[in-house]
Amino acid sequence: MTNLLLEVNGLKKYFPIKGSVLGRKVGDVKAVDDVSFSVREGEILGLVGESGCGKSTTGKSILRLSEPTAGEVKFQDQDITSLNAEDMRKLRRNMQIIFQDPYASLNPRHTVEKIIGEPLLIHGMTSAGERKERVQELLEVVGLSAYHASRYPHQFSGGQRQRIGIARALANNPKLIICDEPVSALDVSVQAQILNLMDELRDKFNLTYIFIAHDLSVVKHICDRVGVMYLGRMAEMADKDDLYSNPKHPYTQALLSAVPDPDPDYQRERIILKGDVPSPSDPPTGCAFHTRCPYAMAVCSELRPEFQKVYNNHYVACHLYDDAVQS
Ligand code: SF4
């Protein structure tokens, strides 16, 4: 039985909306609204959903790069939401993040050696010689060469820059890496190389990833389990194969219908959702998806569906699977 590495319970992240005249709070943008899940050691959990669904904010709130409004985040059984800044800084060597845009996340005025060496210095590797050696080792681990250490970010391609971002995340031997759309900004051919590299590194260093993406086709090959988010809430979560072959939530079904199938003889019927994603500052009552759902019933606009188990490892928040509503 694999150990749990991370437990997220009732996580909320609200951003206040200020009134224009007196600057008083007039409401909240509910970016993450009561999300719970856990991640096992060595697992890759995908978090998927359209832009604005709260997946990136969930990742940043777990690391407290964006302070949660409420909820509990336990890393190796320790509640980290109450840690002070110094204890959190120490813990961050175990919890790293890779960002979407590898160019924006690398300081253009620093050499690669300085960029990758910085987290080593922050966490106590004060010897310049040791840092240099470690940077060279990390560059080789991610498929670059020791001589790249003296170069600047603009001298690399997008894929190479993301490799530098990965090397920086690996510097202090973390246990968990939150990958925030790490391949979205890359060409399709390069995406596959980076995904393969991340998969190899997971095996080599027993890493655990939370892999955030807006596209179910990207997470299909790399993740063990996938959670689908909609308007700040978890709509469905299941083992990857189960989710792709037997999606339960109407939103997941719509997202999956847009994923091209490799079999040219297989024509999946495309589900086009009506309307746009509602604003998280004024989410619909009941099920947040009811304004776009082809199966919406009267109860859907009144009662928020519980996120509950339908079988084995498969969870869904939808009244279609709620025995109390269906009986
Ligand atoms: Fe659709 Fe109702 Fe299920 Fe929401 S609860 S996804 S509106 S059927």
Side-chain angles (χ1 to χ4, degrees), residues 166-180:
I166 294 170
R168 179 176 57 182
L170 287 176
N172 286 305
N173 297 314
K175 294 190 182 333
L176 173 72
I177 302 184
I178 295 186
C179 313
D180 189 3

PDB file of all heavy atoms in Angstrom, residues 166-180:
ATOM      1  N   ILE A 166      12.750  22.532 -15.217  1.00  0.00           N
ATOM      2  CA  ILE A 166      12.639  21.233 -14.535  1.00  0.00           C
ATOM      3  C   ILE A 166      13.896  20.994 -13.685  1.00  0.00           C
ATOM      4  O   ILE A 166      13.805  20.560 -12.537  1.00  0.00           O
ATOM      5  CB  ILE A 166      12.430  20.094 -15.572  1.00  0.00           C
ATOM      6  CG1 ILE A 166      11.069  20.258 -16.265  1.00  0.00           C
ATOM      7  CG2 ILE A 166      12.533  18.726 -14.906  1.00  0.00           C
ATOM      8  CD1 ILE A 166      10.853  19.344 -17.464  1.00  0.00           C
ATOM      9  N   ALA A 167      15.065  21.326 -14.245  1.00  0.00           N
ATOM     10  CA  ALA A 167      16.313  21.149 -13.481  1.00  0.00           C
ATOM     11  C   ALA A 167      16.269  21.986 -12.200  1.00  0.00           C
ATOM     12  O   ALA A 167      16.667  21.529 -11.125  1.00  0.00           O
ATOM     13  CB  ALA A 167      17.505  21.551 -14.339  1.00  0.00           C
ATOM     14  N   ARG A 168      15.755  23.217 -12.320  1.00  0.00           N
ATOM     15  CA  ARG A 168      15.659  24.081 -11.141  1.00  0.00           C
ATOM     16  C   ARG A 168      14.713  23.474 -10.102  1.00  0.00           C
ATOM     17  O   ARG A 168      15.005  23.479  -8.902  1.00  0.00           O
ATOM     18  CB  ARG A 168      15.168  25.472 -11.544  1.00  0.00           C
ATOM     19  CG  ARG A 168      15.021  26.421 -10.367  1.00  0.00           C
ATOM     20  CD  ARG A 168      14.634  27.803 -10.798  1.00  0.00           C
ATOM     21  NE  ARG A 168      13.387  27.794 -11.560  1.00  0.00           N
ATOM     22  CZ  ARG A 168      12.831  28.868 -12.095  1.00  0.00           C
ATOM     23  NH1 ARG A 168      13.421  30.040 -11.974  1.00  0.00           N
ATOM     24  NH2 ARG A 168      11.695  28.779 -12.762  1.00  0.00           N
ATOM     25  N   ALA A 169      13.587  22.911 -10.586  1.00  0.00           N
ATOM     26  CA  ALA A 169      12.636  22.302  -9.642  1.00  0.00           C
ATOM     27  C   ALA A 169      13.241  21.082  -8.951  1.00  0.00           C
ATOM     28  O   ALA A 169      12.933  20.790  -7.797  1.00  0.00           O
ATOM     29  CB  ALA A 169      11.355  21.916 -10.385  1.00  0.00           C
ATOM     30  N   LEU A 170      14.136  20.371  -9.670  1.00  0.00           N
ATOM     31  CA  LEU A 170      14.719  19.142  -9.106  1.00  0.00           C
ATOM     32  C   LEU A 170      15.883  19.407  -8.158  1.00  0.00           C
ATOM     33  O   LEU A 170      16.336  18.496  -7.467  1.00  0.00           O
ATOM     34  CB  LEU A 170      15.270  18.264 -10.250  1.00  0.00           C
ATOM     35  CG  LEU A 170      14.285  17.542 -11.153  1.00  0.00           C
ATOM     36  CD1 LEU A 170      15.056  16.825 -12.255  1.00  0.00           C
ATOM     37  CD2 LEU A 170      13.468  16.537 -10.348  1.00  0.00           C
ATOM     38  N   ALA A 171      16.385  20.656  -8.146  1.00  0.00           N
ATOM     39  CA  ALA A 171      17.663  20.955  -7.497  1.00  0.00           C
ATOM     40  C   ALA A 171      17.784  20.398  -6.073  1.00  0.00           C
ATOM     41  O   ALA A 171      18.796  19.820  -5.711  1.00  0.00           O
ATOM     42  CB  ALA A 171      17.896  22.464  -7.502  1.00  0.00           C
ATOM     43  N   ASN A 172      16.738  20.545  -5.282  1.00  0.00           N
ATOM     44  CA  ASN A 172      16.832  20.138  -3.874  1.00  0.00           C
ATOM     45  C   ASN A 172      16.150  18.803  -3.598  1.00  0.00           C
ATOM     46  O   ASN A 172      15.684  18.563  -2.476  1.00  0.00           O
ATOM     47  CB  ASN A 172      16.241  21.233  -2.979  1.00  0.00           C
ATOM     48  CG  ASN A 172      17.172  22.433  -2.878  1.00  0.00           C
ATOM     49  OD1 ASN A 172      18.332  22.291  -2.517  1.00  0.00           O
ATOM     50  ND2 ASN A 172      16.673  23.610  -3.217  1.00  0.00           N
ATOM     51  N   ASN A 173      16.097  17.948  -4.599  1.00  0.00           N
ATOM     52  CA  ASN A 173      15.478  16.616  -4.443  1.00  0.00           C
ATOM     53  C   ASN A 173      14.079  16.677  -3.832  1.00  0.00           C
ATOM     54  O   ASN A 173      13.829  16.103  -2.764  1.00  0.00           O
ATOM     55  CB  ASN A 173      16.362  15.715  -3.556  1.00  0.00           C
ATOM     56  CG  ASN A 173      17.699  15.470  -4.196  1.00  0.00           C
ATOM     57  OD1 ASN A 173      17.772  15.175  -5.382  1.00  0.00           O
ATOM     58  ND2 ASN A 173      18.763  15.612  -3.417  1.00  0.00           N
ATOM     59  N   PRO A 174      13.148  17.349  -4.493  1.00  0.00           N
ATOM     60  CA  PRO A 174      11.793  17.461  -3.920  1.00  0.00           C
ATOM     61  C   PRO A 174      11.062  16.124  -3.971  1.00  0.00           C
ATOM     62  O   PRO A 174      11.461  15.209  -4.695  1.00  0.00           O
ATOM     63  CB  PRO A 174      11.113  18.460  -4.856  1.00  0.00           C
ATOM     64  CG  PRO A 174      11.778  18.238  -6.170  1.00  0.00           C
ATOM     65  CD  PRO A 174      13.207  17.915  -5.854  1.00  0.00           C
ATOM     66  N   LYS A 175       9.967  16.062  -3.214  1.00  0.00           N
ATOM     67  CA  LYS A 175       9.112  14.865  -3.271  1.00  0.00           C
ATOM     68  C   LYS A 175       7.923  15.123  -4.198  1.00  0.00           C
ATOM     69  O   LYS A 175       7.478  14.242  -4.891  1.00  0.00           O
ATOM     70  CB  LYS A 175       8.595  14.525  -1.874  1.00  0.00           C
ATOM     71  CG  LYS A 175       9.693  14.100  -0.908  1.00  0.00           C
ATOM     72  CD  LYS A 175       9.078  13.556   0.360  1.00  0.00           C
ATOM     73  CE  LYS A 175      10.063  13.152   1.415  1.00  0.00           C
ATOM     74  NZ  LYS A 175      11.364  12.750   0.985  1.00  0.00           N
ATOM     75  N   LEU A 176       7.415  16.363  -4.149  1.00  0.00           N
ATOM     76  CA  LEU A 176       6.224  16.711  -4.926  1.00  0.00           C
ATOM     77  C   LEU A 176       6.550  17.862  -5.886  1.00  0.00           C
ATOM     78  O   LEU A 176       7.170  18.847  -5.475  1.00  0.00           O
ATOM     79  CB  LEU A 176       5.107  17.169  -3.970  1.00  0.00           C
ATOM     80  CG  LEU A 176       3.846  17.736  -4.614  1.00  0.00           C
ATOM     81  CD1 LEU A 176       3.032  16.641  -5.288  1.00  0.00           C
ATOM     82  CD2 LEU A 176       2.969  18.443  -3.571  1.00  0.00           C
ATOM     83  N   ILE A 177       6.142  17.710  -7.147  1.00  0.00           N
ATOM     84  CA  ILE A 177       6.281  18.837  -8.078  1.00  0.00           C
ATOM     85  C   ILE A 177       4.903  19.146  -8.667  1.00  0.00           C
ATOM     86  O   ILE A 177       4.223  18.254  -9.177  1.00  0.00           O
ATOM     87  CB  ILE A 177       7.278  18.544  -9.222  1.00  0.00           C
ATOM     88  CG1 ILE A 177       8.666  18.199  -8.654  1.00  0.00           C
ATOM     89  CG2 ILE A 177       7.387  19.765 -10.139  1.00  0.00           C
ATOM     90  CD1 ILE A 177       9.738  17.990  -9.710  1.00  0.00           C
ATOM     91  N   ILE A 178       4.513  20.407  -8.546  1.00  0.00           N
ATOM     92  CA  ILE A 178       3.269  20.844  -9.173  1.00  0.00           C
ATOM     93  C   ILE A 178       3.636  21.400 -10.543  1.00  0.00           C
ATOM     94  O   ILE A 178       4.450  22.324 -10.647  1.00  0.00           O
ATOM     95  CB  ILE A 178       2.547  21.867  -8.288  1.00  0.00           C
ATOM     96  CG1 ILE A 178       2.128  21.137  -7.000  1.00  0.00           C
ATOM     97  CG2 ILE A 178       1.352  22.473  -9.025  1.00  0.00           C
ATOM     98  CD1 ILE A 178       1.302  21.892  -6.048  1.00  0.00           C
ATOM     99  N   CYS A 179       3.101  20.786 -11.563  1.00  0.00           N
ATOM    100  CA  CYS A 179       3.458  21.150 -12.937  1.00  0.00           C
ATOM    101  C   CYS A 179       2.285  21.932 -13.504  1.00  0.00           C
ATOM    102  O   CYS A 179       1.230  21.355 -13.803  1.00  0.00           O
ATOM    103  CB  CYS A 179       3.693  19.888 -13.767  1.00  0.00           C
ATOM    104  SG  CYS A 179       4.740  18.676 -12.951  1.00  0.00           S
ATOM    105  N   ASP A 180       2.445  23.265 -13.592  1.00  0.00           N
ATOM    106  CA  ASP A 180       1.335  24.132 -13.986  1.00  0.00           C
ATOM    107  C   ASP A 180       1.368  24.357 -15.500  1.00  0.00           C
ATOM    108  O   ASP A 180       2.066  25.240 -15.986  1.00  0.00           O
ATOM    109  CB  ASP A 180       1.435  25.457 -13.221  1.00  0.00           C
ATOM    110  CG  ASP A 180       0.200  26.318 -13.422  1.00  0.00           C
ATOM    111  OD1 ASP A 180      -0.739  25.861 -14.101  1.00  0.00           O
ATOM    112  OD2 ASP A 180       0.183  27.447 -12.906  1.00  0.00           O
TER     113      ASP A 180
END
